[in-house]
Amino acid sequence: QVQLVESGGGAVRTGGSLRLSCTASGRIFSINVMGWYRQAPGKQRELVAVITRDGSTNYADSVKGRFTINRDNAKNTVHLQMNSLKPEDSATYYCNADGVRSNFWSTTNDYWGQGTQVAVSS
């Protein structure tokens, strides 16, 4: 089993910054994609940013130029630096680990963290 533990959420004013971190632990041989999704009340969960094992990234249009994702493969950790935050960024942010293998021959699994709250006030 794999656990994802997130940290770094909080409350900030418009224009502020936060850095989210997520560490995956358990029986892990490799993780293909790590990333962040968010869900605001009454809305569907949406992709924020993802990063592949080789460092390729993809961002939601709404966060391009403001958020930066990076990961440490050796530590199974992913970070999301969020700058110039806006009230519309307020949501619960979920860490995701996709394509997780427990060994070279295993099938892959997908895991989610419990979520961390981000609140941006105007």
Side-chain angles (χ1 to χ4, degrees):
Q1 190 70 351
V2 173
Q3 296 80 38
L4 301 182
V5 177
E6 301 129 329
S7 63
V12 296
R13 294 282 187 96
T14 297
S17 297
L18 286 172
R19 185 172 186 253
L20 305 183
S21 297
C22 172
T23 299
S25 62
R27 294 190 64 185
I28 300 171
F29 172 74
S30 66
I31 303 174
N32 185 24
V33 181
M34 298 189 78
W36 293 92
Y37 293 73
R38 67 187 181 188
Q39 187 168 18
K43 295 187 177 182
Q44 290 189 330
R45 189 173 297 189
E46 62 177 3
L47 179 148
V48 177
V50 293
I51 183 168
T52 65
R53 185 169 179 79
D54 65 2
S56 297
T57 59
N58 186 36
Y59 295 91
D61 288 342
S62 60
V63 307
K64 285 181 180 176
R66 300 188 297 123
F67 292 10
T68 302
I69 189 170
N70 60 74
R71 67 186 278 182
D72 184 333
N73 291 330
K75 297 181 179 179
N76 294 322
T77 298
V78 63
H79 304 285
L80 183 69
Q81 179 65 42
M82 306 187 293
N83 298 328
S84 302
L85 283 161
K86 305 175 181 180
E88 50 263 44
D89 294 318
S90 298
T92 300
Y93 283 68
Y94 296 91
C95 178
N96 174 257
D98 188 30
V100 181
R101 295 182 183 274
S102 59
N103 59 66
F104 182 81
W105 301 273
S106 71
T107 56
T108 60
N109 289 288
D110 182 29
Y111 297 94
W112 291 91
Q114 293 297 308
T116 184
Q117 296 279 347
V118 171
V120 185
S121 59
S122 58

